[in-house]
Amino acid sequence: MKKIKNIFPLIFVITVFIVSIALKPKKKLSEKYKRDIEYSSESLYGLGDDILIKEIILYECEDDTYVYTIYKYIAYKTKEIEENYQVFSTRTGKYLSGGIVESLNKDFYRKFSEDRLKAKRTEKLSEDYIKYLNTEVKSKYLS
């Protein structure tokens, strides 16, 4: 009988430990893919110093994670502000921008379109994070 009394506290401690590990909050996607976000942003800033990122959404899928970026720029011919997008694959390092590049890379865009509908997790980056990218990362890249 003495052994049974000593087992219950042990079972309780083990159960609490297992439950605390299971309920541990997952790391935010923006923290997990910080380097990929900055790399894909730098590739945009390389296109011109007038580019500003408007929005970034991360899609964590079964076999890949995508950084979907909407950005604004001043059109060369019309001098008007236009929007476009870029999709960056964290697994392969490939990226594509909307428009003509999309038509040259149909398989990648099709795969992204299908995967994002089945994404396990998504995260829209905060305005503060976008501001950080448009100031700190951009100035570091352009200098």
Side-chain angles (χ1 to χ4, degrees):
M1 197 67 167
K2 209 174 196 185
K3 287 183 178 180
I4 294 175
K5 287 183 180 180
N6 292 335
I7 291 176
F8 287 123
L10 181 62
I11 292 172
F12 177 75
V13 169
I14 291 172
T15 304
V16 168
F17 179 73
I18 291 172
V19 168
S20 67
I21 289 175
L23 295 177
K24 182 181 173 187
K26 290 186 177 181
K27 193 174 192 180
K28 290 177 76 173
L29 292 177
S30 56
E31 295 170 4
K32 187 175 178 181
Y33 294 102
K34 184 178 191 308
R35 291 181 66 202
D36 294 304
I37 295 166
E38 289 184 7
Y39 177 78
S40 67
S41 300
E42 289 173 355
S43 70
L44 281 175
Y45 299 137
L47 298 174
D49 59 354
D50 62 337
I51 289 180
L52 283 177
I53 294 173
K54 181 179 175 186
E55 179 178 33
I56 295 180
I57 303 172
L58 302 173
Y59 295 96
E60 187 176 59
C61 303
E62 192 168 311
D63 62 340
D64 203 351
T65 299
Y66 300 97
V67 180
Y68 179 76
T69 306
I70 299 173
Y71 63 94
K72 296 190 274 188
Y73 66 98
I74 299 173
Y76 179 73
K77 291 182 180 179
T78 63
K79 303 293 184 209
E80 293 183 17
I81 296 175
E82 295 186 10
E83 285 187 7
N84 204 349
Y85 69 89
Q86 173 179 285
V87 179
F88 176 76
S89 165
T90 62
R91 184 177 58 83
T92 63
K94 291 182 180 179
Y95 62 91
L96 69 97
S97 294
I100 194 161
V101 180
E102 177 186 311
S103 64
L104 298 174
N105 222 339
K106 290 179 183 174
D107 291 337
F108 179 69
Y109 186 75
R110 182 183 44 76
K111 182 164 175 21
F112 162 69
S113 298
E114 292 170 358
D115 282 355
R116 78 176 182 179
L117 296 174
K118 301 180 272 185
K120 293 188 287 185
R121 291 171 54 195
T122 61
E123 181 183 335
K124 181 178 176 182
L125 299 187
S126 69
E127 292 294 322
D128 291 337
Y129 200 96
I130 301 293
K131 187 176 181 180
Y132 160 76
L133 291 172
N134 282 330
T135 54
E136 311 259 338
V137 174
K138 184 176 183 176
S139 65
K140 185 170 54 173
Y141 178 76
L142 294 176
S143 61

